[in-house]
Amino acid sequence: MTALAESFDGGTSPVHSTELEIVSTVLRMASAARVRLAEALDAQGLSWARYEVLELVSRRGPMSYSALSRELVRHRTSITATTASLVEAGLLTRSVNPRNRQQYMVEATDSGHRAVARAERALERARSRMAVDADSARTLEVLRGIEKQWNGRR
C-alpha cells in the first residue's frame, strides 16, 4: 500500500513527494471542474446549491425541508434559504404537508423542471469541454489503484 493510501487509512508513513503531487493534481482538477460547472450553472441563473435542491425535488417529487436537508447533507437553515429563493423565482412551490400540518413541502413547477433540463444540458456541455491531459490521466490511474488497495483492506 502506498503512503498516500495509508495516510487516508490512519497509517503513519510519510507522504512522498510523488503522492503529494498526485493530491495536488487532484485538487487542481477538482477546483477547475468546480469553476467550469459553476460557470455553466451561473449562465442558467442557478448556483450549485440551488441546482442541487431543484434537481432533487424535480427528480423525486414533493419533499419536506428535513428530507432535503438529510439527502443533501446540509443544515436546515441553508435549505430554507435556498428553497425560498427558488420559490421566489417560480421554480418551486411551497405548501403545508397534508399528513403533518407543522411541516412544509416543496415541489418543482413546470418552470422548475424546464430549468433543471436546461441546467443539465449546460453541465453536460461544460463537462464535455473539460479535457483530461496525459498527466491527469496517469494520476487518475494511480488513484484507481490506490482506491482498489484501500477498499481491499476494509
Side-chain angles (χ1 to χ4, degrees):
M1 175 179 290
T2 68
L4 179 61
E6 287 176 0
S7 70
F8 282 116
D9 201 29
T12 57
S13 301
V15 177
H16 301 291
S17 64
T18 301
E19 287 140 344
L20 285 175
E21 289 175 38
I22 291 169
V23 170
S24 179
T25 300
V26 168
L27 292 174
R28 279 193 309 276
M29 289 170 60
S31 180
R34 250 190 322 275
V35 167
R36 275 269 171 87
L37 297 175
E39 288 171 350
L41 288 174
D42 188 51
Q44 301 302 312
L46 295 172
S47 65
W48 189 260
R50 290 178 75 193
Y51 169 73
E52 280 186 314
V53 169
L54 188 58
E55 188 279 331
L56 183 59
V57 173
S58 182
R59 183 169 32 93
R60 293 255 184 104
M63 294 183 75
S64 68
Y65 287 37
S66 56
L68 279 168
S69 179
R70 206 173 30 256
E71 286 289 322
L72 296 174
V73 191
R74 281 210 228 127
H75 193 274
R76 191 169 177 333
T77 304
S78 171
I79 294 297
T80 301
T82 303
T83 56
S85 72
L86 290 165
V87 167
E88 187 176 313
L91 302 175
L92 292 179
T93 58
R94 183 179 95 149
S95 60
V96 174
N97 184 348
R99 294 186 191 146
N100 178 354
R101 307 284 302 157
Q102 296 177 340
Q103 188 178 63
Y104 285 103
M105 304 289 285
V106 289
E107 184 173 7
T109 63
D110 289 342
S111 295
H113 288 291
R114 287 191 299 271
V116 167
R118 283 191 308 273
E120 287 174 346
R121 286 190 299 273
L123 289 171
E124 180 56 29
R125 284 190 304 273
R127 187 210 54 80
S128 68
R129 287 191 305 266
M130 289 184 219
V132 176
D133 62 21
D135 288 338
S136 298
R138 280 192 296 278
T139 299
L140 288 172
E141 287 302 315
V142 170
L143 287 173
R144 286 186 184 107
I146 291 169
E147 180 183 30
K148 284 179 186 174
Q149 289 176 359
W150 191 16
N151 289 335
R153 291 194 64 201
R154 289 184 185 196

